[in-house]
Amino acid sequence: MNDNYHVFSDGRIERHDDTVRVITDDGEKKYLPVENAEAIFLHGQIEYNTRFVSFLNQEGVAVHVFGWHDHYAGSIMPKRGQTSGQTLVDQVRAYDDPAHRLELAQAFVDGSIHNMRANVTYYDGRGYDFDDVLAELTEARSSLDRMETVDETMGVEARARKAYYSTFDEILPDEFVFGGRQYDPPNNEVNSLISFGNSLVYANVVSAIRATALDPTVSFLHEPGERRYSLALDIADLFKPLLADRVIFRLVNRGQLTSDDFEDEMNSCLLNEHGRKTYSKAYEETLDETIEHPELGKKVSYQYLLRVEAYKLKKHLLTGEEYVPFQRWW
Amino acid sequence: MTESSTDPVDRFLAAARDETEELPFRLTGVMFQYYVVCERELWFLSRDVEIDRDTPAIVRGSDVDDSAYADKRRDVRVDGIIAIDVLDSGAILEVKPSSSMTEPARLQLLFYLWYLDRVTGVEKTGVLAHPTEKRRETVELTPETSAEVESAIRGIRDVVSADSPPPAAEKPVCDSCAYHDFCWSC
Ligand code: SF4
């Protein structure tokens, strides 16, 4: 149920009877049982046709395409069975009301900082001393309600994330030098891992939003249209520490990812195919981890938490009931 | 308000009798069931809150096998508002999916009888049945049951016209409710 399939090779992907088949450039055939899949992630150079797209549409499976530099390039989303005009209207109203938008933007940042803090707290005391960073994150969090604009709120987010990232150089082995976030293109191993991990979280949030009638382009913290699905950026921020960063720490500290898993190109450093496979596998395992959800009264997977987050936001917009962002509770 | 009457029942009836009038609010048979079962669910339904199709038990009772009935039945649609099963005997059949759904199904059936009587002038009797139960219950429109329907219409209108749904309150049906995760995630 809700499986993601990652295709790393170059080649062709097509419908074959009632399943999906990948034929790699060296002639190898692989079958993906997509009946209960959530999405297919294409990482290589892949050809497909309209018959393939119609089939996935019918099966309700999304395709997320990753291009050069592991950048998220776009998604083919299955057509929705229903849409809700009411939800879109409520969503746009909230965006258009400065006080309401600010309140939501602050909620996203508040949750994000809490979740960054949870990671730092874990390492603090396990041989590291992150008191300063923890204090800075606490201070950033409590400064939020003094912010009067979304821009200022974004500024708090950026400061907090910078402090959070400053712990990476200590947590990760010496062989991996980070030295701060660098995107376009990532300049070292750590940046390349963060970029790749974040884009996987982002694509999964895009799928989760699709399970509601929310419009993925109408966002609150990020400016709509900044990228195509800016609402996915708002929600993804909450989950990066739990989903993307923990996988980095685990794989690198256990030596499952080493500098051999990267390729240096001009001014950039990127995961090679083996590195991407290793990361994606561990990432998918993390999505499948479960946790007892106190309000829902049952165990849910981390992946389902993304969908719950989309539900929560939609419920808030529709009913006016308070939106409390995801904050790691365990 | 400029209408001569603001009572939801009068407004509904006036619009239902006059095809050129727009109904003052949407009213369907199943809303009467939700009204009994959970007003919060009724509010979600009225806003077309979409539920993910992979959730099990999406529609409570939708798996009841209707073909279990020997009687000849006809599907009749009236004014696009009600869709009823008319038995050979002329009675209106309502199937209750389970014994806990007796009251909700009874109210829905009463609404059909009430609608037929007040809007189209046809008097009918109702039959409430469960496929596996031999016993059937007859349901009739009386001054008391009419009053029940009318008070439900006012209640439904209050629920669906509110800006927010009534707060969630845990009850046994929550476990099988399609809105469960939507409702309880906070
Ligand atoms: S989960 Fe419970 S409270 Fe919520 S709509 Fe369903 S029945 Fe009502």
Side-chain angles (χ1 to χ4, degrees):
Chain A
M1 236 359 222
N2 298 331
D3 289 328
N4 290 320
Y5 292 100
H6 293 261
V7 178
F8 295 95
S9 23
D10 296 343
R12 187 171 168 81
I13 189 165
E14 61 190 21
R15 174 178 186 170
H16 180 75
D17 299 331
D18 280 325
T19 181
V20 165
R21 168 164 86 176
V22 180
I23 305 175
T24 63
D25 277 350
D26 39 30
E28 203 192 327
K29 285 180 189 158
K30 280 182 252 172
Y31 292 85
L32 311 180
V34 294
E35 310 89 71
N36 288 320
E38 172 113 355
I40 301 178
F41 290 65
L42 300 181
H43 300 273
Q45 287 297 316
I46 301 278
E47 281 174 35
Y48 54 81
N49 61 21
T50 51
R51 194 166 163 263
F52 168 75
V53 174
S54 311
F55 177 61
L56 291 192
N57 188 15
Q58 170 197 323
E59 298 286 311
V61 178
V63 178
H64 301 302
V65 180
F66 290 77
W68 195 60
H69 284 177
D70 303 332
H71 272 318
Y72 168 85
S75 301
I76 308 167
M77 300 304 288
K79 197 175 72 193
R80 308 180 44 84
Q82 291 163 306
T83 51
S84 162
Q86 187 64 44
T87 305
L88 179 59
V89 168
D90 288 339
Q91 200 180 343
V92 172
R93 275 210 187 115
Y95 165 76
D96 215 30
D97 169 355
H100 197 171
R101 180 177 171 192
L102 182 62
E103 180 201 314
L104 282 170
Q106 288 176 342
F108 286 124
V109 174
D110 186 52
S112 299
I113 298 179
H114 173 97
N115 295 324
M116 293 186 231
R117 225 178 161 280
N119 277 2
V120 178
T121 306
Y122 175 86
Y123 284 100
D124 183 60
R126 277 179 182 72
Y128 304 94
D129 174 11
F130 290 139
D131 283 354
D132 291 358
V133 176
L134 287 173
E136 204 169 333
L137 291 178
T138 306
E139 147 58 26
R141 214 178 158 193
S142 59
S143 76
L144 270 176
D145 45 8
R146 295 196 300 273
M147 299 303 124
E148 284 169 3
T149 63
V150 172
D151 264 1
E152 287 170 16
T153 306
M154 269 287 203
V156 174
E157 205 292 327
R159 273 203 311 281
R161 208 164 278 275
K162 193 161 180 234
Y164 169 64
Y165 280 141
S166 75
T167 64
F168 280 39
D169 263 323
E170 290 192 53
I171 295 172
L172 297 172
D174 291 345
E175 159 193 18
F176 284 81
V177 178
F178 176 40
R181 192 75 178 103
Q182 193 75 234
Y183 313 77
D184 246 345
N187 62 341
N188 58 36
E189 289 87 353
V190 182
N191 269 301
S192 138
L193 281 168
I194 294 175
S195 291
F196 188 58
N198 287 353
S199 63
L200 293 183
V201 176
Y202 173 81
N204 273 283
V205 174
V206 171
S207 286
I209 291 174
R210 198 199 119 257
T212 70
L214 288 171
D215 188 306
T217 63
V218 179
S219 52
F220 305 97
L221 175 61
H222 294 82
E223 204 52 57
E226 199 175 286
R227 268 197 245 165
R228 226 174 113 218
Y229 295 136
S230 43
L231 183 62
L233 293 176
D234 287 1
I235 297 178
D237 274 357
L238 292 169
F239 289 93
K240 287 169 183 174
L242 173 73
L243 297 176
D245 301 341
R246 281 167 73 247
V247 174
I248 299 176
F249 298 149
R250 186 152 29 111
L251 290 176
V252 172
N253 285 337
R254 292 184 190 162
Q256 287 167 278
L257 275 178
T258 67
S259 44
D260 293 344
D261 292 302
F262 298 84
E263 271 158 21
D264 283 317
E265 284 180 24
M266 286 208 313
N267 325 313
S268 70
C269 175
L270 293 171
L271 277 160
N272 64 22
E273 184 174 330
H274 180 262
R276 280 200 286 261
K277 273 187 184 160
T278 306
Y279 186 93
S280 305
K281 185 160 174 285
Y283 173 81
E284 289 298 330
E285 284 163 8
T286 302
L287 282 183
D288 286 341
E289 275 176 42
T290 58
I291 180 77
E292 179 73 27
H293 194 294
E295 279 96 21
L296 296 183
K298 62 181 176 190
K299 281 195 145 197
V300 299
S301 67
Y302 289 3
Q303 180 168 25
Y304 194 69
L305 290 178
L306 300 176
R307 181 172 299 187
V308 166
E309 206 58 21
Y311 281 164
K312 281 159 57 180
L313 185 60
K314 173 169 168 171
K315 186 170 59 169
H316 163 74
L317 294 170
L318 220 54
T319 67
E321 290 168 10
E322 194 192 357
Y323 168 70
V324 182
F326 164 69
Q327 298 172 51
R328 213 175 144 185
W329 64 83
W330 63 96
Chain B
M1 245 181 218
T2 52
E3 281 119 286
S4 51
S5 168
T6 52
D7 179 46
V9 176
D10 294 340
R11 284 171 57 210
F12 178 79
L13 276 178
R17 286 171 183 147
D18 178 353
E19 279 166 24
T20 62
E21 278 283 317
E22 181 100 29
L23 287 171
F25 47 92
R26 190 160 65 107
L27 201 57
T28 62
V30 75
M31 290 173 115
F32 288 82
Q33 296 205 18
Y34 281 48
Y35 180 61
V36 180
V37 174
C38 174
E39 293 186 13
R40 186 169 168 86
E41 198 177 4
L42 169 63
W43 192 92
F44 290 148
L45 173 85
S46 73
R47 304 295 150 118
D48 292 324
V49 172
E50 202 183 326
I51 297 300
D52 196 16
R53 276 165 299 270
D54 14 283
T55 315
I58 285 236
V59 181
R60 254 201 300 281
S62 64
D63 53 352
V64 171
D65 181 12
D66 283 344
S67 65
Y69 290 96
D71 316 72
K72 294 235 174 57
R73 298 157 61 181
R74 282 174 297 133
D75 263 342
V76 179
R77 283 177 182 279
V78 182
D79 300 347
I81 294 187
I82 65 177
I84 47 178
D85 264 345
V86 184
L87 298 177
D88 264 1
S89 63
I92 314 298
L93 172 76
E94 188 57 38
V95 178
K96 53 174 169 129
S98 68
S99 55
S100 69
M101 291 294 283
T102 305
E103 185 48 30
R106 193 183 74 95
L107 190 61
Q108 176 169 357
L109 180 51
L110 280 171
F111 167 63
Y112 291 157
L113 300 176
W114 178 88
Y115 187 95
L116 290 172
D117 180 74
R118 302 296 148 94
V119 179
T120 65
V122 180
E123 264 183 61
K124 289 283 182 190
T125 302
V127 167
L128 194 60
H130 186 280
T132 59
E133 287 168 18
K134 295 276 166 335
R135 211 167 48 83
R136 293 172 166 206
E137 191 187 326
T138 304
V139 173
E140 309 221 42
L141 203 60
T142 64
E144 290 74 43
T145 54
S146 293
E148 240 184 279
V149 172
E150 290 169 13
S151 114
I153 292 175
R154 293 184 190 104
I156 290 171
R157 183 188 139 294
D158 285 346
V159 172
V160 304
S161 60
D163 284 339
S164 334
E170 182 85 61
K171 37 185 164 294
V173 285
C174 290
D175 285 342
S176 57
C177 176
Y179 294 107
H180 181 277
D181 290 359
F182 182 75
C183 204
W184 291 101
S185 59
C186 8

